[in-house]
Structure formats: C-alpha cells, structure tokens
Amino acid sequence: MRSPARLVTGTATAAVTVIALGLAAAPSAHADNFGRLEITPATAPPGATVTVNTTACGPKGSGIGDANSLDAGDFELRQGTHKEVLVGQFRVPHDTRPGVYEIVVTCDNGKDAVGDLKVIGGKHEKPDHHRPSGHVRTGVGGSVEPNSTQVALGVGVIGLAAVGGLWLLRRRTEPGAESGR
C-alpha cells in the first residue's frame, strides 16, 4: 500500500496536469475567432503605404481594418486577385513615432485578423542638429555676393600692381641706372 504522502503528491500532480491541459485547450477555442493578418511591408517608415491581406473573412466575406493605434483610422478590405483573400491599404501618418503597432481586421463573419506593424525612422529618430545651408563665410574671397564697388576696387589694386611692376622693370633696365654711383 502506498504512503499517504505519495498518494497526496500523485493526486496533486494529476490535478495540476488536468488544469494545465484545460487552460491550454481553452484559448484554442477562442483562437478560432482570430486569423492571420499579413502586413506588407512589416517594417515601414512614416508616410509609407501599407498593404494588409487576410483569409479570415472567408471566400465571399468583407471586413474593416482598424489602424487607429497609429492614428491612420479605419480602412476597407476588398476581394483580392484570389477569391479567398481580402486586401486593404492605409498610409502611416507622417507624425507617427517609431514602435510596434497592432493592426486589426474585423470580418463580417465575426472573425478577427491581427498583425503587428513596426514603424521605423521618421522625424523622431533623426538627430536634432541643423545642417548648414548657404555659403561658408570664412572671411576669404568675396564671391558670396559680389557688388560693383568690390569689383572696381579689385581691378584697381591689380592695375596698380601691374603699373608698379612695370615701373620697377623699366627702372632696372635703363642705361645709367646701374652707373648712378
């Protein structure tokens, strides 16, 4: 005969096993109301058009998509090229923050299809620094905004340099410039 401790332990183990199997079976009855929702692309930046499709609504069914989790609103699903597939589209709003968002389709037959969309990039992931624009003001040159006064002064300086250089060359080549002793 078994000891009372072993009898209690065996009975408790059997009870836990039955409860665990019952809990595991319970969601499967509820899971029949959920179908698979394919989301293309599964990862999208703000502004992208996303296509969803499902077979959960049946061959001649219809459904309404819910993308309110990312503020894209509701969208209609229509028959695709395959009779049993419903297809719908929505656009990811430009101000959507990166993250994972649940998309749900509710079918007229009472079933739901659920899928996740991952939003990446966008203005909230970019570094918060300003890019330079315009000309670089280094203090050298003058081509940023040329005006007639600057051009005239530049031509004058070049002209004076040319006249001075000619004067020096002429002075060196004159006869008697060396004999000026």
Side-chain angles (χ1 to χ4, degrees), residues 35-149:
R36 191 169 135 221
L37 184 67
E38 291 183 25
I39 300 176
T40 308
T43 303
T49 299
V50 176
T51 303
V52 300
N53 64 52
T54 185
T55 57
C57 299
K60 295 189 181 199
S62 63
I64 298 292
D66 177 359
N68 290 311
S69 62
L70 55 110
D71 292 330
D74 293 339
F75 57 96
E76 187 177 344
L77 278 84
R78 300 173 190 235
Q79 292 292 324
T81 55
H82 300 289
K83 292 180 183 179
E84 65 276 355
V85 178
L86 290 183
V87 179
Q89 288 186 328
F90 65 92
R91 185 175 298 275
V92 178
H94 289 284
D95 60 347
T96 303
R97 292 186 179 270
V100 177
Y101 296 89
E102 183 177 74
I103 309 300
V104 179
V105 170
T106 303
C107 301
D108 59 356
N109 64 5
K111 290 187 178 184
D112 291 336
V114 180
D116 289 332
L117 171 68
K118 182 177 181 182
V119 176
I120 59 165
K123 67 180 185 179
H124 297 286
E125 279 192 345
K126 291 182 182 173
D128 190 25
H129 60 78
H130 301 288
R131 290 193 171 151
S133 63
H135 300 285
V136 178
R137 297 182 187 263
T138 61
V140 178
S143 63
V144 174
E145 293 177 4
N147 60 34
S148 58
T149 305

Side-chain angles (χ1 to χ4, degrees), residues 153-173:
L153 285 174
V155 170
V157 168
I158 291 173
L160 282 174
V163 169
L166 286 174
W167 179 74
L168 284 174
L169 283 175
R170 181 155 169 89
R171 186 170 169 229
R172 291 186 106 204
T173 57

